[in-house]
Amino acid sequence: MQALVLEKKGELSLRDIDLPQEVGPDDVKIAIDTVGVCGSDVHYYTHGAIGSFVVREPMVLGHEAAGTIIAIGANVKNLKVGDRVCMEPGVPNMNSRATKLGIYNVDPDVRFWATPPIHGVLTPEVVHPAAFTYKLPDNVSFAEGAMVEPFAVGLQAATRARITPGDVAVVIGCGPIGIMTALAALAGGCARVYISDLSAPKLAIAGQYAGIHPVNITERKLADVIAEETEGWGADVVFEASGSPRAYDGIFDIVRPGGTLVLIGMPVETTKFDVAAAIIKEARIETVFRYANNFDRAVNLIASGKVDLKPLISETFDFARSIEAFDRAAKGLPDDVKLQIKLRG
C-alpha cells in the first residue's frame, strides 16, 4: 500500500510499502480517514530521533487517527464493520506488570505507532487491536476523532492534577498540548486557566475559549500576572507543557503553598530544578507520559460539547500533499496549531 514513509532524517516519500494486513481474532481493520500531524512525527522528520528512539530504517509516520472499520476478527463483539472509530496508538504487553497495575502507558514493551521501529498509520488501511479502538458517536467527526489522541494527553494531565472544582490553573506553553490541557482542566472543574507563551497568534486562538486567559510573556512576567490575579497566593495547579528548560526558572513562584506542578513537556536537554523551592511550599509534583485508560472519556467529553477542538484545526491536506503538510509543520508557523491529512474524500 502507499504510505508516507520517513526514509531517513530529512527525507520523506509517498510510496508503496509492505505492511501487515492480516486480521487476527481480536483485531479490526480500519480504513483510515484522517490523521493529525504531531510534533513527534515532525521531530523524527527533522532530527531523525527522539531520545533513545532513533530512525534506523524506513518508517511510516502518523499516530493521531480516525477511520471506518472494514473487517473484524472472530472474537470481536463490541465493534462492527461500518463503525466510525478512533484508535489508541500504543499497544502494551497485556501480561506486563505495568499493564496489570493499570499504567500500561509506561510498559517498556509498548508498541506505539510511528515510534521506531513501529510503523505509523499514514496509509489507507491498518490493522489494530479492538481493545484499543473506540467507536465515535455520530456527532463527532473524523477530524475530531483524530484529535482524541493529543487531547488524551491533556486529559491525562488534568487527571494527574487531581483538580478540585473551582481551582485556578496555569498552563505554560500554548502549543496543541498546552491548549488541550487548558481545555481538559476547565472540563475537570477549574474555574479559570491562565496560559502563557511568546506567540501572540497562538495565545489569541486559546483566548477564544471562555475561561482561558492568555498571558504574553514578552509583555508581562507570568509570576506577576498570577500574583495579581490570586492576591499573591498562587495557582492551585501549574501545568508545564512547553518542554523549555527556561520554563523552570522560578516556576514555584506561581504555585501556591501545597499546590501541584504537573510536568508534560519533554525537555530535550538537562533542566535545572529548584528542589528547595518545591520543598518549602510542599508542592506535589506529577508527571505525564502519554495517557492510560482515558480515550473513552476523551471521546465522551468531545461528544458532550463541553470540549470543542474544531477551532484548533488550522488546515487539512489531501493525502497526496502529505509531504507538503510535514514541510509546513516543520516551519512552526505562529498561526498553526494542528494540521491534518485526509486520506478519503
Side-chain angles (χ1 to χ4, degrees):
M1 285 191 302
Q2 195 172 62
L4 181 67
V5 181
L6 176 59
E7 306 289 0
K8 59 183 180 181
K9 174 184 172 180
E11 183 180 330
L12 289 172
S13 63
L14 204 56
R15 65 170 173 88
D16 287 338
I17 186 171
D18 289 330
L19 298 171
Q21 289 295 299
E22 182 179 351
V23 180
D26 299 308
D27 297 335
V28 294
K29 181 181 282 189
I30 302 136
I32 298 294
D33 183 281
T34 303
V35 178
V37 178
C38 177
S40 65
D41 295 319
V42 176
H43 199 84
Y44 282 124
Y45 174 35
T46 56
H47 292 75
I50 297 178
S52 61
F53 297 104
V54 180
V55 178
R56 304 186 190 280
E57 56 189 30
M59 179 182 76
V60 177
L61 290 173
H63 63 264
E64 305 173 2
T68 303
I69 292 178
I70 55 176
I72 63 172
N75 296 339
V76 177
K77 306 299 181 186
N78 61 318
L79 296 166
K80 65 182 187 302
V81 172
D83 282 347
R84 300 164 58 256
V85 294
C86 64
M87 297 76 76
E88 189 168 352
V91 179
N93 175 352
M94 300 304 288
N95 296 313
S96 74
R97 294 179 69 176
T99 299
K100 290 177 180 178
L101 287 169
I103 52 173
Y104 60 83
N105 53 317
V106 292
D107 172 21
D109 294 332
V110 69
R111 296 171 59 84
F112 199 93
W113 281 339
T115 299
I118 309 302
H119 287 302
V121 294
L122 268 165
T123 189
E125 297 176 4
V126 298
V127 175
H128 199 58
F132 293 90
T133 302
Y134 302 85
K135 186 175 179 180
L136 296 176
D138 291 341
N139 67 330
V140 177
S141 67
F142 285 121
E144 292 170 294
M147 296 279 274
V148 170
E149 195 276 340
F151 180 58
V153 177
L155 192 56
Q156 180 84 352
T159 302
R160 296 302 295 265
R162 303 178 210 164
I163 292 166
T164 298
D167 275 354
V168 173
V170 172
V171 177
I172 300 172
C174 196
I177 297 299
I179 297 175
M180 292 192 211
T181 297
L183 292 172
L186 287 174
C190 282
R192 60 188 190 275
V193 179
Y194 297 88
I195 189 166
S196 67
D197 207 285
L198 301 162
S199 171
K202 285 186 171 60
L203 289 168
I205 293 168
Q208 296 175 17
Y209 291 97
I212 297 181
H213 304 270
V215 179
N216 191 325
I217 58 174
T218 66
E219 300 171 354
R220 294 190 67 190
K221 287 183 62 176
L222 178 60
D224 291 343
V225 173
I226 301 308
E228 181 180 309
E229 294 294 327
T230 63
E231 298 180 334
W233 178 239
D236 299 291
V237 182
V238 175
F239 299 94
E240 203 308 289
S242 72
S244 170
R246 295 188 301 277
Y248 288 87
D249 293 338
I251 197 168
F252 291 102
D253 293 342
I254 60 177
V255 181
R256 70 161 172 84
T260 301
L261 172 63
V262 183
L263 309 183
I264 312 165
M266 187 80 76
V268 296
E269 56 191 270
T270 302
T271 301
K272 291 195 300 182
F273 193 85
D274 192 340
V275 176
I279 291 173
I280 289 168
K281 286 193 170 178
E282 205 170 68
R284 179 167 58 87
I285 299 169
E286 297 280 353
T287 57
V288 170
F289 183 64
R290 298 172 178 161
Y291 34 73
N293 303 303
N294 69 12
F295 244 64
D296 51 350
R297 293 188 292 127
V299 171
N300 289 342
L301 276 172
I302 296 167
S304 73
K306 293 181 179 179
V307 173
D308 181 10
L309 302 179
K310 294 188 292 293
L312 305 183
I313 301 171
S314 303
E315 188 165 340
T316 302
F317 293 77
D318 293 334
F319 184 43
R321 299 173 61 206
S322 294
I323 297 175
E324 180 184 343
F326 269 77
D327 286 338
R328 160 102 164 248
K331 293 177 182 177
L333 300 180
D335 290 317
D336 284 347
V337 178
K338 177 59 65 176
L339 303 178
Q340 292 189 331
I341 296 170
K342 191 167 179 63
L343 283 81
R344 296 178 186 275

